[in-house]
Amino acid sequence: MLLPFPRLVLLFLPLLGALLLPAGQARAQAAPNPGENIPFLITFGAQADPSWGDDDFSQTFFFLVPKERRQPVYIRVFDPDCGGRHDELKGGWNTTTNFSLYGGTNAHSAPDARATTPKGQYRAGTLLAQKTFGAEPTYDNRWYTFGPLNPLEGELTPEFDGYVFKLIAQGLRGDDGNLYRYFLSSSPTENVPVEGGNAFTYEYAFRLTSVVGAKTHLYPFVNDRVVSIRQSNFDLDGGLKMKIFSVAKNGHPATISGNNAWATSTHSVVAKEHGLSLDFQLTTLSKAPNDLVFYVTDQYDVALPFFAIPLGGPPRYRYEVEVKMRE
């Protein structure tokens, strides 16, 4: 906002992450990750105007815990209330947001849980905890912690080689924008990374950085069945430029949306991009706050995951020179 699935098959993901990620980045489990340069996630109240930058007033994130871990983990939410320092006011503070945490069977594997709209069985799984926040100074600019969580309470997900928890933020009432962040931690009171952990989503709703010229990075993972992708974005207001980078793409342009509208563009995927993340680079063109929605699907209309820690690391274009021998 500019203001005045056939089943997804992802193979060997933890192995790629362990082998190819820089050591320092592999320990960073903030969502959004600092490398993405996204200041906040955002979820509006259910009575908000979609033109403000949220198409469905719901956002689902998943948290991956390595299969071998048996120590408790915690999912921490920064500034979960809606009212105060970071949130977006529309008249008077009247918004409540529910955060619901799920584990167990179908928390991630249910197709609706991985869809880009909150419908059907998107809340599948076992409800482990939930809390609803209004305009509460107690949680303004502070952390709220879910846990302790036994890793075995998550859904065992073989393609990730770990246990997955699902956290849904849903605007129940009101029309303000709730801005917040997450952290997967091994401590209830501090942000201490869980070794080998990660966070991901299939649809991003977030606030773009307002620093003109700054670059935001979105890292959808491309599995080995993808032959083309379609990127879809909502309410970008023309306030940025977007290009795609990968080992095979060196700044391919992508279509951006206007106010309260969706835009899409389709892009081919080559074999050497399989098993790696793409880099959608969004360059900020305006200082005005801009809230938007973004997702990527494959040729079967199955959403691809955006990992906070990009699998394979941030991609680097590999320039190839064809050399012909003269006879």
Side-chain angles (χ1 to χ4, degrees):
M1 176 191 62
L2 187 59
L3 299 177
F5 303 138
R7 180 169 180 168
L8 178 65
V9 178
L10 303 174
L11 301 176
F12 312 120
L13 302 188
L15 179 61
L16 281 168
L19 292 179
L20 299 176
L21 285 175
Q25 188 179 36
R27 294 191 296 269
Q29 287 158 35
N33 189 6
E36 295 172 292
N37 196 27
I38 295 173
F40 287 100
L41 306 173
I42 189 164
T43 300
F44 278 84
Q47 283 74 52
D49 188 331
S51 69
W52 297 338
D54 190 349
D55 67 319
D56 56 26
F57 319 122
S58 179
Q59 179 153 218
T60 300
F61 255 80
F62 299 91
F63 297 86
L64 174 65
V65 179
K67 184 173 62 177
E68 299 76 16
R69 185 179 176 91
R70 293 297 179 267
Q71 297 81 16
V73 298
Y74 303 84
I75 298 174
R76 310 190 72 216
V77 189
F78 178 71
D79 196 54
D81 80 309
C82 190
R85 188 175 308 187
H86 303 293
D87 303 306
E88 184 170 319
L89 177 65
K90 296 294 184 181
W93 296 117
N94 63 0
T95 296
T96 57
T97 310
N98 176 261
F99 292 83
S100 302
L101 178 65
Y102 297 83
T105 303
N106 291 323
H108 173 263
S109 59
D112 289 340
R114 305 190 305 273
T116 58
T117 56
K119 61 183 181 180
Q121 301 300 311
Y122 75 105
R123 291 184 177 273
T126 301
L127 179 64
L128 302 176
Q130 65 175 324
K131 187 170 178 62
T132 298
F133 300 87
E136 303 172 45
T138 301
Y139 300 108
D140 183 47
N141 199 44
R142 299 179 183 176
W143 291 89
Y144 177 84
T145 301
F146 287 101
L149 302 171
N150 181 343
L152 300 180
E153 292 182 282
E155 180 178 20
L156 180 60
T157 308
E159 59 263 40
F160 298 147
D161 200 30
Y163 290 88
V164 173
F165 294 90
K166 174 173 64 185
L167 186 54
I168 299 174
Q170 187 143 14
L172 300 181
R173 295 180 299 277
D175 59 1
D176 308 301
N178 192 347
L179 292 133
Y180 56 93
R181 296 194 294 263
Y182 294 131
F183 199 100
L184 176 64
S185 180
S186 59
S187 166
T189 58
E190 299 179 274
N191 291 336
V192 180
V194 174
E195 188 68 28
N198 211 333
F200 60 98
T201 185
Y202 292 92
E203 184 190 47
Y204 242 134
F206 63 92
R207 170 155 291 182
L208 188 73
T209 178
S210 59
V211 178
V212 175
K215 296 184 184 302
T216 294
H217 301 268
L218 305 178
Y219 297 113
F221 179 79
V222 175
N223 63 59
D224 61 0
R225 294 191 174 185
V226 178
V227 298
S228 68
I229 59 168
R230 183 178 64 193
Q231 65 83 20
S232 300
N233 60 80
F234 175 73
D235 199 47
L236 269 62
D237 292 312
L240 54 85
K241 294 188 299 183
M242 178 162 54
K243 293 185 177 180
I244 307 172
F245 292 83
S246 73
V247 294
K249 294 179 174 63
N250 190 22
H252 288 202
T255 304
I256 63 171
S257 57
N259 179 57
N260 197 27
W262 285 94
T264 66
S265 57
T266 301
H267 307 267
S268 62
V269 169
V270 298
K272 62 182 177 180
E273 293 173 303
H274 288 162
L276 297 171
S277 298
L278 305 176
D279 180 4
F280 281 78
Q281 291 189 14
L282 316 180
T283 303
T284 300
L285 300 179
S286 170
K287 293 182 179 181
N290 195 346
D291 305 323
L292 57 98
V293 178
F294 198 100
Y295 67 86
V296 175
T297 53
D298 65 12
Q299 69 273 15
Y300 302 112
D301 203 29
V302 173
L304 303 183
F306 299 89
F307 280 86
I309 304 170
L311 301 185
R316 296 290 182 265
Y317 177 67
R318 299 173 187 171
Y319 180 70
E320 296 180 356
V321 179
E322 183 178 355
V323 177
K324 294 182 179 181
M325 300 299 294
R326 179 178 296 177
E327 296 182 359

